[in-house]
Structures are given as C-alpha cells and as structure tokens.
Amino acid sequence: EEDEDDLPPTEHGRLWFSIIYDVAVEQLCVNLIKVKNIPGVNHAPRDPFVKIYLLPDERTCRTSKTRKKSLSPVYNESFTFQVSPDEILTRTLRFSVYDVDKRQIRHSLGHVMVAMKDVDLTRGEVIWSDLEPMAQAASSLGDIQVSLTYIPQQEKIKIVVMRARNLRPSDYTSESGLYARVQFYYGRRAHKTKKTTMQRIHSDPEIHESFTFSIAGKQLDTCNVVLSIITSQTRGPFSREEEYGRVTVGPFMFARGEELIHWQEMVAQSKTPITRWHTLTPYVAPDLH
C-alpha cells in the first residue's frame, strides 16, 4: 500500500494479483487481490466482478464475487487451475473485469493478460498491471448494420443484414462484387451459412436481406453469429473471393462490447427487432499453437 502513491496514474484502472504454481499437485493458484481506479460513468460507482481464464481454454473460468458500488473493489479471493508442468509455460492468464448495470447487461471494463512464461511462478509475489480496454480500436474497414429478432415461440432468430457503410473498395475493378455472408455457429462449429445476393462493389451498399435460423432457448448462451463482407474479383476467366471484414455477435462466450450488448438486448426484448451498427474488423485465424 505504501508504494502505491509512487505508481504512475492509470487511465482504465489497475489490478493487483499474485500467482504461484505447485508442481506436486499440478495446480496454479491465483490470488485476486483488488482493482483500483475503475472509471465510473459520470463518476458513479459500479458493481464490478472479475472473470479469470487460463487461455487458450475460454470455456473454463473462475469468477469473483461482485463488489457493490465501488470503483476500487477489494477481493482477496483465491482460485485454482489444474495444469500440467509441461503446459504451464505455454498458457496465458486473463483477468477480465466487468460491471452489471440495472438492466442486467454486462459491460466490459478492461482486461489484463499475463503470459506464464514471463512470471516467476515459484515466489507468489504481488504483481500489478493496468487494465487494457477490451474494445478494439475503431476500424478503418467500415461498419455493417444488422437487425436481430429472437422469436422464442418458434425457437428462431431472424437476422436482417441491412447495409454497410464506409467500406474501402480501393483495390477493385468495375467487375468486382461483394455480398454479406451470415454464419450461424453452435459453439465453435459453423452450423449453417447463408449469403446475400452478389452486388456491384460499393462503399455504402444497401443489402436488406433476411435469414432465419432455428435455435432452442437453452442454446442462446452457446450460439453466435459471424457476419462477413466478402469481396469477389473477376480477372479474365478467374474469380477470387476473400473476406474483407467481419463481426461476431453473440453471448458472453464469444462477443464483447457492442456485439455482446446487441445479443443480450435481442434475448431480453424477444419478438422485437433490435438494430445496431457494428464495426468490421479483419479476420484473424486462430492460433493453434
């Protein structure tokens, strides 16, 4: 505590923790100590809690208690993960800090990533790290507007791809085209893929095509929708398609920020079309190593 006054100021908040690895029982012990200086909305307190993941496993997490009405919550909670000595140095610990508002919608406040190979796992020293915002920087790829409707009586989701804006079709000829691809995932597996009609490439295309997917209520936490803009270039007899940009809308397991909120609003306001703009981001292939 006495040294904290000497630390530099933090923009998004700061998290304190300690970790130690017990080789004998192949267990990583994580002690979540506290978070300080979380930004409030108009300086109002939040109800923060922390989820802890040992990546690349995103399905298993540990969750702290929620601290009510605080911007500097103290936790002092310990959590364990089973992990073999062969694997431990390849793993990365992620602390994700969230707040739940009055509508029971989760907001991401930031995260801390700690590569196990960069830490002395034998000493259990207290470490602090600044929270980094979850939201990706605004993309220069443009945006896509989508409407989602959940119809529980029919166990269906209706998705309307409405339009895109501010696309940068700079490398394309007059023969080039684009379409939107809608992939409905069960977990990590693409269950169904549908496409809009191909149209001439344009920076602000109007699309207005709808698709319906079946979904049981119990699947709402494990499904997600990936919307992509696909470009097609024709050069002579050859045509080449490539993904221009994408957005993943879904529950907490798959989405963050605006994309998570859109899904939660769709579920909460069933039978009501919920329309939002989403920023397109480049597709990054998963690192399988």
Side-chain angles (χ1 to χ4, degrees):
E1 291 281 345
E2 62 273 9
D3 297 331
E4 288 181 21
D5 293 338
D6 300 329
L7 296 179
T10 175
E11 184 179 357
H12 302 290
R14 186 169 282 146
L15 185 142
W16 277 259
F17 63 96
S18 65
I19 44 182
I20 195 162
Y21 183 64
D22 187 332
V23 179
V25 291
E26 300 190 358
Q27 208 168 66
L28 180 71
C29 182
V30 180
N31 183 25
L32 171 65
I33 300 170
K34 63 185 176 183
V35 184
K36 289 190 74 172
N37 302 319
I38 295 171
V41 179
N42 300 321
H43 304 289
R46 294 181 179 271
D47 295 343
F49 65 96
V50 183
K51 283 185 170 282
I52 305 170
Y53 300 83
L54 191 60
L55 303 178
D57 179 8
E58 285 205 85
R59 292 182 176 274
T60 307
C61 76
R62 309 288 183 260
T63 306
S64 75
K65 292 184 171 65
T66 299
R67 294 288 182 246
K68 297 284 189 181
K69 294 184 166 49
S70 176
L71 296 177
S72 292
V74 176
Y75 294 98
N76 288 323
E77 295 181 54
S78 294
F79 307 91
T80 57
F81 293 87
Q82 288 298 135
V83 56
S84 71
D86 296 338
E87 278 189 43
I88 184 65
L89 295 181
T90 69
R91 308 295 283 273
T92 296
L93 200 62
R94 184 177 86 197
F95 298 88
S96 296
V97 184
Y98 295 93
D99 171 44
V100 177
D101 67 16
K102 292 174 183 169
R103 295 176 298 158
Q104 293 301 301
I105 291 177
R106 278 186 266 213
H107 298 276
S108 156
L109 302 180
H111 64 176
V112 167
M113 305 279 274
V114 187
M116 295 295 92
K117 63 181 175 55
D118 297 335
V119 183
D120 185 338
L121 295 171
T122 63
R123 301 177 63 179
E125 290 184 332
V126 174
I127 302 168
W128 62 266
S129 183
D130 285 352
L131 293 176
E132 298 174 16
M134 288 276 200
Q136 294 164 307
S139 164
S140 56
L141 293 179
D143 311 286
I144 188 168
Q145 189 184 41
V146 186
S147 167
L148 303 179
T149 311
Y150 174 48
I151 309 162
Q153 293 83 353
Q154 299 176 18
E155 296 195 325
K156 292 185 184 300
I157 286 179
K158 181 181 179 183
I159 300 170
V160 184
V161 183
M162 302 184 78
R163 57 177 62 85
R165 67 184 179 192
N166 301 324
L167 305 184
R168 296 180 295 122
S170 54
D171 305 331
Y172 304 101
T173 68
S174 59
E175 301 298 311
S176 301
L178 65 76
Y179 62 88
R181 182 181 67 198
V182 183
Q183 292 175 295
F184 190 74
Y185 277 77
Y186 286 155
R188 306 282 172 190
R189 183 175 60 85
H191 177 65
K192 284 200 171 172
T193 298
K194 299 187 179 182
K195 301 174 181 180
T196 65
T197 307
M198 178 83 75
Q199 60 174 277
R200 182 70 57 85
I201 206 156
H202 190 273
S203 59
D204 300 289
E206 296 284 339
I207 301 171
H208 301 286
E209 293 190 38
S210 64
F211 305 98
T212 303
F213 299 92
S214 297
I215 180 171
K218 65 187 180 201
Q219 296 171 319
L220 283 167
D221 286 339
T222 54
C223 290
N224 62 102
V225 177
V226 178
L227 301 124
S228 308
I229 295 292
I230 308 295
T231 58
S232 174
Q233 297 187 63
T234 303
R235 299 187 188 281
F238 304 104
S239 66
R240 181 168 62 94
E241 291 191 349
E242 58 184 37
E243 183 170 325
Y244 170 83
R246 68 164 50 191
V247 63
T248 300
V249 180
F252 188 61
M253 190 184 289
F254 305 101
R256 301 289 181 265
E258 292 293 315
E259 290 73 41
L260 170 62
I261 291 170
H262 195 174
W263 186 268
Q264 290 174 326
E265 287 183 341
M266 173 199 75
V267 174
Q269 301 175 48
S270 62
K271 297 185 285 187
T272 304
I274 308 292
T275 305
R276 280 183 177 263
W277 284 99
H278 295 289
T279 298
L280 292 165
T281 57
Y283 173 56
V284 179
D287 185 355
L288 301 177
H289 299 295

